[in-house]
Amino acid sequence: VRVIEVQPTDLQLTVHSQGTVEPLVESTIVAQVAGRIEWVSPDFAEGGFFRRGDRLIQIDSRDYELLVSQAEAQVAQAQVRLQLEQAEAELAREEWQELGTGSGNPLALREPQLAEARAAVQAAEAALEKARLDLERTAIRAQFDGRVRAKQVDLGQFINRGTPIANVYSTQAAEVRLPVRKDDLLFVGLDPSLRLESNESTRPKVVLRASIGGADYEWSGQIVRTGSEFDANTRMLPLFARIDDPQRRQAGATGTPLPMGLFVDAEIEGIDVQDVFILPRSAIRDNSQVLVVDGESRLRSRDVEIVRLERDQALVKTG
């Protein structure tokens, strides 16, 4: 027979899974005003990078500039009318005090007219604010650091309010959905509630690996949350790994950028176990027994407590 000698050892378990890299934040840019596109950023192309606040597209703003001027004139007219009504109301109060008695009739004191003039000023100012907002919206700007996945419009095209402009995603972080068997969740450190610890520093680390162009690469991440339920078909619970700055766009970043849509192998950091014996999987008989050679070179069958069965090896705790 072939025999090996084993000694107890301390070991950190790992859980293997696979998944596809997806952006953490992805959105569709939509036009909020109508008009003809008169300028397009050189970075506004499939695969182009942009920073938060960058102008991606400029819609012809001349019509909206005229609307702002008209709204400003309406505000000025409303303010003049309000000043006239205030003067008329003041004059009416003075006349009532000289000729009338009591608190006075609101209509005679021109209180409704004064309230109407104030409301007209507020409405004109609101219209001016709306015109200025529409003028500002002719410049379509990025809301986050990101990358263009696909664009739907181009220079010279007329677009309406609500027209999709482009699909973009954030380069701040990426996520990978990693299905894990229910028997392996214990080795990741999840309790029966399937909740991760609130302390980020103690959450499981993840190493992602993939081959691109014949070369092997790896990236580091962290499990940030669990799925809401087990998959009814696979009986697995998804764990979500987050990778910060996957495109390596931040200052001082090093390493290979992590492409979106890449299929990766994942190694999830598990719990630590002490004093376990590592045996070949083939040494386990009937899922719970091991043949041990005694001092007389005889084979004895022993029941053992198996911590974990892996593809090529078994971890035995006692026996």
Side-chain angles (χ1 to χ4, degrees):
V1 296
R2 184 162 52 92
V3 178
I4 60 172
E5 294 184 2
V6 293
Q7 297 292 332
T9 184
D10 298 337
L11 184 67
Q12 183 179 48
L13 302 182
T14 58
V15 175
H16 296 273
S17 184
Q18 296 175 318
T20 302
V21 181
E22 297 291 345
L24 178 64
V25 176
E26 183 175 7
S27 63
T28 300
I29 300 177
V30 177
Q32 294 181 280
V33 294
R36 183 179 59 85
I37 299 175
E38 64 176 8
W39 181 85
V40 173
S41 169
D43 296 325
F44 185 69
E46 183 175 346
F49 289 95
F50 53 82
R51 295 289 186 183
R52 180 177 181 178
D54 286 354
R55 186 175 57 151
L56 303 178
I57 287 178
Q58 178 63 55
I59 298 173
D60 187 357
S61 61
R62 288 174 293 180
D63 290 340
Y64 298 97
E65 291 171 354
L66 293 175
L67 291 176
V68 170
S69 298
Q70 293 176 0
E72 290 174 343
Q74 292 173 356
V75 170
Q77 293 173 358
Q79 289 175 342
V80 170
R81 181 186 171 192
L82 175 60
Q83 292 174 358
L84 291 176
E85 285 295 341
Q86 289 174 337
E88 290 286 347
E90 182 64 26
L91 182 59
R93 282 194 297 270
E94 291 177 357
E95 291 177 350
W96 182 269
Q97 291 174 357
E98 292 177 358
L99 303 176
T101 58
S103 59
N105 187 294
L107 189 61
L109 296 177
R110 303 188 65 83
E111 292 179 358
Q113 294 89 330
L114 185 59
E116 181 184 6
R118 290 195 180 101
V121 170
Q122 293 177 348
E125 290 176 343
L128 175 59
E129 183 64 26
K130 176 64 167 57
R132 288 173 175 170
L133 186 59
D134 286 343
L135 176 59
E136 181 182 342
R137 287 171 174 170
T138 60
I140 300 178
R141 299 184 181 275
Q143 300 300 309
F144 47 74
D145 294 350
R147 193 175 191 183
V148 179
R149 170 166 280 179
K151 69 174 186 176
Q152 283 79 39
V153 299
D154 216 328
L155 184 65
Q157 183 176 344
F158 184 89
I159 59 176
N160 291 310
R161 186 189 300 267
T163 300
I165 302 297
N167 293 328
V168 298
Y169 60 84
S170 171
T171 55
Q172 178 184 2
E175 274 194 348
V176 184
R177 186 179 187 271
L178 301 173
V180 174
R181 297 185 304 117
K182 59 183 178 63
D183 293 338
D184 286 337
L185 293 175
L186 175 64
F187 305 131
V188 180
L190 290 179
D191 58 22
S193 67
L194 302 180
R195 294 179 181 177
L196 292 172
E197 295 186 20
S198 58
N199 187 356
E200 293 186 5
S201 62
T202 59
R203 292 179 180 175
K205 303 294 188 299
V206 181
V207 176
L208 307 178
R209 296 185 175 89
S211 178
I212 304 176
D216 295 329
Y217 299 93
E218 68 176 43
W219 301 268
S220 299
Q222 186 178 40
I223 299 296
V224 294
R225 71 181 190 278
T226 65
S228 59
E229 60 185 7
F230 283 89
D231 187 286
N233 297 320
T234 64
R235 306 300 181 186
M236 292 185 176
L237 181 72
L239 305 184
F240 291 88
R242 174 169 174 166
I243 302 90
D244 292 326
D245 190 25
Q247 301 296 321
R248 303 299 186 253
R249 299 281 295 173
Q250 297 180 5
T254 59
T256 304
L258 176 60
M260 296 299 107
L262 182 67
F263 188 77
V264 294
D265 295 315
E267 186 176 282
I268 305 172
E269 176 184 270
I271 60 175
D272 294 322
V273 291
Q274 286 78 38
D275 296 333
V276 294
F277 298 88
I278 303 176
L279 303 181
R281 179 70 181 263
S282 58
I284 305 300
R285 301 163 58 87
D286 298 330
N287 292 325
S288 63
Q289 292 182 336
V290 173
L291 291 176
V292 178
V293 180
D294 63 13
E296 299 177 355
S297 295
R298 295 177 180 270
L299 293 177
R300 305 292 184 181
S301 178
R302 290 189 183 177
D303 293 326
V304 294
E305 177 188 353
I306 299 178
V307 176
R308 184 184 186 187
L309 286 176
E310 299 179 350
R311 177 180 300 177
D312 299 321
Q313 63 184 19
L315 305 182
V316 174
K317 182 64 176 176
T318 59

